[in-house]
Amino acid sequence: MRLFLIGYMGSGKSTVGKGLAKALNLSFVDLDAFIEEKYHKTIPEIFASDGEEGFRKAEQKALHEVADFEDVVVATGGGAPCFFDNMEKIKHSGTSLYLNGSPRILAERLLHSKTERPLIKGKTEEELVAFINETLAKRNHWYKQADIIIDFDHDISINEVVAALRSHKQ
Ligand code: S3P
């Protein structure tokens, strides 16, 4: 069994992924953490040295590697499904879940997040909201190809995600 969590920055993929892995007795892989370990560099360092293009290449390689892991929940980076053949790879390798947070909740979480994210660094609240709306409009094309879509405007519980997964299987 292989589950891929996809969705925008701040949608809770890592938190939900960890909880889901525990609930289903699967292992957990955070794709960004996997990239950081593999290259011995943080995500902001990769963006700084190789640009977004270099990061996307590293991300594609890492995704192809973890797509072979067994019995795993993978939390992908927000842009991962939207480049190269990545969404196709995800769909061929397992079940995909899109955590579709409203722009309001995404902006709220990102404004308070301690994680450094090169794409939104230094943006004011107004600029961030505009950026989220603009990029979501493009990214939704990829995100909406997920097998399961969970729309939310609140903190979702693991039980909700497990229930969505079970009803998808029936
Ligand atoms: C990105 C999302 C980040 C990380 C990188 C780029 C994106 O992951 O992969 O900063 O393009 O949306 P999170 O979604 O975990 O923040």
Side-chain angles (χ1 to χ4, degrees):
M1 181 168 189
R2 232 175 258 126
L3 294 173
F4 293 89
L5 292 173
I6 66 170
Y8 205 78
M9 295 177 265
S11 59
K13 301 175 298 276
S14 301
T15 309
V16 169
K18 275 181 209 153
L20 196 57
K22 202 170 173 201
L24 301 176
N25 207 17
L26 300 170
S27 48
F28 172 72
V29 175
D30 181 287
L31 194 63
D32 281 341
F34 184 84
I35 295 168
E36 291 183 331
E37 268 171 43
K38 182 172 151 137
Y39 293 95
H40 306 289
K41 276 182 182 180
T42 65
I43 301 299
E45 282 167 355
I46 299 175
F47 268 80
S49 59
D50 308 309
E52 182 174 355
E53 208 185 314
F55 171 72
R56 295 302 171 198
K57 284 185 191 152
E59 182 178 56
Q60 182 195 26
K61 259 195 189 162
L63 176 72
H64 279 246
E65 282 177 44
V66 305
D68 286 335
F69 292 3
E70 302 288 345
D71 298 322
V72 71
V73 177
V74 180
T76 63
C82 316
F83 291 84
F84 311 117
D85 63 345
N86 295 354
M87 191 59 195
E88 213 178 301
K89 184 75 185 168
I90 288 172
K91 289 190 65 81
H92 277 128
S93 310
T95 304
S96 46
L97 283 98
Y98 172 26
L99 299 182
N100 184 21
S102 67
R104 188 199 61 80
I105 197 166
L106 297 176
E108 198 176 287
R109 286 183 180 176
L110 289 171
L111 279 171
H112 297 111
S113 168
K114 291 196 183 83
T115 307
E116 195 184 319
R117 292 176 166 98
L119 292 180
I120 56 171
K121 200 173 175 210
K123 291 201 188 305
T124 62
E125 181 168 359
E126 206 179 317
E127 287 166 346
L128 179 64
V129 170
F131 182 80
I132 292 173
N133 284 318
E134 193 184 304
T135 42
L136 253 186
K138 293 182 200 144
R139 288 184 172 189
N140 264 330
H141 165 73
W142 305 102
Y143 292 156
K144 295 222 161 155
Q145 295 177 31
D147 300 312
I148 302 168
I149 299 178
I150 302 178
D151 301 312
F152 65 97
D153 193 16
H154 57 280
D155 286 334
I156 33 175
S157 69
I158 300 306
N159 285 347
E160 276 177 79
V161 183
V162 172
L165 204 56
R166 295 228 161 98
S167 60
H168 170 75
K169 279 192 171 161
Q170 279 157 11

